[in-house]
Amino acid sequence: MGYAELRELHSALNTASDIVYTLESDPSPEETAQIVDALRRALDAARALGAAHGATGCSLHPRGAVDPLYGDKRDPLPPGWGRCLLCNDGRRRASAQRRGSR
């Protein structure tokens, strides 16, 4: 997911840079509009890149719910666990099944 956004960010920044380096001292309204458009594309791509991992930090459920038991960064997480409620719930269920089968 992040590769496409990163590529778009590179492209938009390069476009803006190319336009800026060819400007005369008094840019036309069209040139100014092109710069603004390229910078908006770059900003949108940067936002999308930052949102790719969401609050959970999970690549499977980036916009999923944060586990209330481990949602606070100050709380210690068990090894291999993250802040994703969906993944942690699966881990809890698997752990309970292993304990029950003993």
Side-chain angles (χ1 to χ4, degrees):
M1 183 174 185
Y3 179 76
E5 289 86 359
L6 187 58
R7 190 171 171 170
E8 175 63 16
L9 179 59
H10 281 274
S11 173
L13 289 174
N14 285 332
T15 299
S17 178
D18 290 346
I19 296 167
V20 169
Y21 281 112
T22 62
L23 286 178
E24 299 295 323
S25 61
D26 189 22
S28 71
E30 292 82 19
E31 290 171 320
T32 304
Q34 290 174 341
I35 295 168
V36 169
D37 181 56
L39 291 175
R40 281 191 182 131
R41 282 184 30 230
L43 182 59
D44 290 342
R47 284 184 178 142
L49 188 61
H53 292 289
T56 64
C58 176
S59 60
L60 296 174
H61 312 105
R63 291 177 181 81
V66 173
D67 190 335
L69 298 178
Y70 301 111
D72 191 343
K73 291 181 180 179
R74 295 173 294 181
D75 292 339
L77 294 168
W81 287 44
R83 298 177 62 214
C84 177
L85 176 62
L86 297 171
C87 290
N88 289 351
D89 184 56
R91 290 179 183 107
R92 285 186 192 97
R93 290 172 189 255
S95 177
Q97 286 178 349
R98 281 192 303 266
R99 279 182 278 155
S101 66
R102 289 183 185 167

